[in-house]
Amino acid sequence: LSLLCLQCHTKNATFNLHDWNAGEHANNDVSCSDCHKLHSGADLIVSPSDTADMCFRCHQKVKAEFMMPSRHPVAEKKVFCTDCHDPHGTVNDNLLRDDSPKEACTKCHSEKEGPFIYEHADLTEDCTNCHRPHGSANNHLLKARPPFLCLQCHAGHQTSATSTEERKAAFYTNCTDCHSQTHGTDLPSKSGKGMFTK
């Protein structure tokens, strides 16, 4: 059915369906009629406020993620699926409108974009190294809570503590208590090594 629709709608400048065949929906046999009511009238556009309900019919795992304690405000209709994804197809992974997850995220979170003099290397490429894009049980959409998230890449602090309790306290301290500028900073730390502490 999509091929029938595309005969006209790829010629119409109103719609951007040129990447439909490269998209995941086309590759998974999703047709136009799965989302659009073809004979409901001249205007088949799904309003942004209705997209989540429509998308969640198929994307049940994503629906569950949006019910987590830390999530984007999709239920409040402040953010819409189509802000980040183009359901009509893109050449990018996960139907992202932008070339990378970082580009998609920094459209709203521009203060995290940089460039910074002292950059957190993994964050210059992909926000999803640390964050879940839809929802998480951890604050700030984090994949794991600090310090466990940080310890996946960084060695823990060396401590001169002698008691077991002091060593545990040093290990389980939240990294962001001291390293508050985790995305990057232009200000050097007291050590002058750019430790993301200001």
Side-chain angles (χ1 to χ4, degrees):
L1 182 62
S2 295
L3 293 176
L4 182 65
C5 301
L6 290 170
Q7 286 178 1
C8 295
H9 288 296
T10 51
K11 297 172 189 171
N12 186 337
T14 308
F15 300 102
N16 183 11
L17 299 175
H18 303 291
D19 289 325
W20 172 259
N21 290 326
E24 292 177 38
H25 282 149
N27 292 330
N28 286 293
D29 294 326
V30 175
S31 74
C32 303
S33 61
D34 291 329
C35 302
H36 298 280
K37 296 177 183 170
L38 301 181
H39 298 291
S40 63
D43 186 7
L44 303 181
I45 295 173
V46 178
S47 73
S49 61
D50 295 331
T51 54
D53 292 333
M54 181 184 63
C55 297
F56 291 160
R57 289 192 314 236
C58 296
H59 300 282
Q60 292 291 308
K61 182 181 177 200
V62 174
K63 180 179 181 179
E65 290 171 350
F66 277 117
M67 294 183 180
M68 295 292 221
S70 177
R71 59 185 174 72
H72 281 104
V74 169
E76 295 80 7
K77 302 196 185 297
K78 293 180 180 178
V79 174
F80 309 109
C81 303
T82 53
D83 290 342
C84 300
H85 303 281
D86 185 346
H88 296 121
T90 70
V91 294
N92 305 319
D93 291 339
N94 300 313
L95 295 175
L96 280 179
R97 289 188 177 278
D98 299 282
D99 290 336
S100 71
K102 183 174 181 180
E103 283 184 38
C105 297
T106 55
K107 283 192 311 192
C108 296
H109 304 283
S110 58
E111 74 283 2
K112 311 291 188 207
E113 183 175 16
F116 299 108
I117 293 173
Y118 302 102
E119 291 193 306
H120 198 156
D122 280 353
L123 303 181
T124 59
E125 308 236 339
D126 190 349
C127 304
T128 60
N129 288 338
C130 298
H131 299 277
R132 295 193 182 282
H134 301 124
S136 172
N138 303 297
N139 289 337
H140 310 294
L141 298 170
L142 291 174
K143 288 184 170 183
R145 72 174 192 83
F148 306 107
L149 176 70
C150 305
L151 291 171
Q152 291 175 9
C153 297
H154 303 281
H157 285 286
Q158 299 297 322
T159 178
S160 58
T162 54
S163 75
T164 304
E165 291 303 316
E166 287 176 329
R167 284 195 301 268
K168 281 184 183 177
F171 182 78
Y172 289 108
T173 299
N174 189 338
C175 303
T176 56
D177 288 349
C178 298
H179 304 280
S180 58
Q181 300 300 312
T182 54
H183 295 94
T185 182
D186 292 329
L187 303 172
S189 61
K190 288 181 185 177
S191 68
K193 296 179 182 175
M195 303 299 289
F196 308 110
T197 56
K198 293 189 177 189

